[in-house]
Amino acid sequence: MTAQQQFDAPIGAGDRLIALKQSEGHASAAHYQALLANAQPPELADLVHFLCLLHGRRPGVIDHAASTATGDERAWLDDAADAFMKERLYITRLTVDAGPVTGVSEDDHSEAAAVELRGSFQLLSRSERRGCAIGAALAFALDWPDLRAILDPLARRLGIDPPLCALPREREVRDLAESLSATPAVSRAMMFGADQLFQLQRGAWRLLAARARLRAQ
């Protein structure tokens, strides 16, 4: 293959997914970066509370995608769902040990918005469009480890040993995305599902940032 052919070659679905994660994932949110740089206890308690509200119950994003998958991806998603069950237990324990959420008035509507957001995650992960749900699940698995950079220091502060994150690594996610994008239609659906997942997560970060501003008033 010539240099020009390499330049003209389309970017694979796996590489596009990773690029999308880098531009739209957790780490691209300003509030994520604020917590990473200088996390305060009320904001950390709020974070784990919201994570538990959004993803602390089964079935979740990966579970729904696994339930409708066929072929080789079914075993991969089943393993990822089992791995995320451990993450659920982790965030549930952090939520309990971090204590109650404080500094937000009773008439704040952000928790109701978070419940609605959870419904949007569920709807996306149950999409009947081939490739959409698995794209969302791949994006979710790919992006979750970035949260550990915030959650694990909180766990240590609370006297909890952070468990090993057993979710598939970036290369595994990339390889599966590549193997599943056999047709342009499926590839587009996967990327659509991933993009929607990242947008929902950014909505959660906006809610958390708004609550942090209320505390600062």
Side-chain angles (χ1 to χ4, degrees):
M1 181 181 290
T2 67
Q4 184 60 43
Q5 287 173 323
Q6 289 177 334
F7 181 80
D8 292 339
I11 301 174
D15 289 332
R16 283 187 285 135
L17 179 60
I18 291 170
L20 188 62
K21 178 256 184 185
Q22 291 171 346
S23 64
E24 301 294 333
H26 290 305
S28 68
H31 193 58
Y32 171 96
Q33 292 297 333
L35 291 182
L36 193 64
N38 185 28
Q40 299 301 312
E43 276 64 55
L44 289 173
D46 217 15
L47 172 63
V48 292
H49 172 78
F50 262 63
L51 288 176
C52 206
L53 183 63
L54 292 173
H55 306 299
R57 288 184 295 166
R58 192 172 187 177
V61 173
I62 300 176
D63 305 293
H64 280 304
S67 70
T68 59
T70 58
D72 294 340
E73 69 268 24
R74 178 60 186 265
W76 191 100
L77 287 166
D78 283 341
D79 288 344
D82 288 342
F84 193 71
M85 177 59 74
K86 298 175 183 176
E87 295 298 303
R88 280 197 187 93
L89 295 174
Y90 183 38
I91 60 174
T92 299
R93 183 176 179 188
L94 288 176
T95 301
V96 172
D97 287 14
V101 173
T102 60
V104 180
S105 64
E106 292 183 0
D107 60 353
D108 174 65
H109 299 295
S110 57
E111 288 216 21
V115 172
E116 185 176 340
L117 195 58
R118 173 179 167 78
S120 297
F121 277 110
Q122 296 283 307
L123 187 64
L124 175 64
S125 60
R126 294 197 302 264
S127 172
E128 295 181 357
R129 181 182 177 188
R130 178 165 172 74
C132 184
I134 194 169
L138 290 176
F140 186 84
L142 183 66
D143 209 22
W144 184 268
D146 278 356
L147 288 174
R148 285 298 204 99
I150 296 175
L151 298 179
D152 291 354
L154 170 62
R156 297 186 186 98
R157 186 183 302 178
L158 296 171
I160 301 170
D161 289 330
L164 176 69
C165 183
L167 284 168
R169 302 305 181 196
E170 181 178 291
R171 183 176 182 83
E172 296 175 65
V173 177
R174 178 191 176 280
D175 289 348
L176 183 61
E178 293 289 346
S179 68
L180 294 177
S181 57
T183 67
V186 172
S187 182
R188 286 193 298 270
M190 285 174 55
M191 295 307 298
F192 175 80
D195 179 67
Q196 292 300 298
L197 185 282
F198 289 134
Q199 295 309 311
L200 290 174
Q201 290 184 163
R202 290 179 72 84
W205 284 112
R206 286 193 292 271
L207 285 174
L208 289 165
R211 287 166 67 90
R213 288 193 293 272
L214 284 175
R215 289 188 185 88
Q217 291 178 356

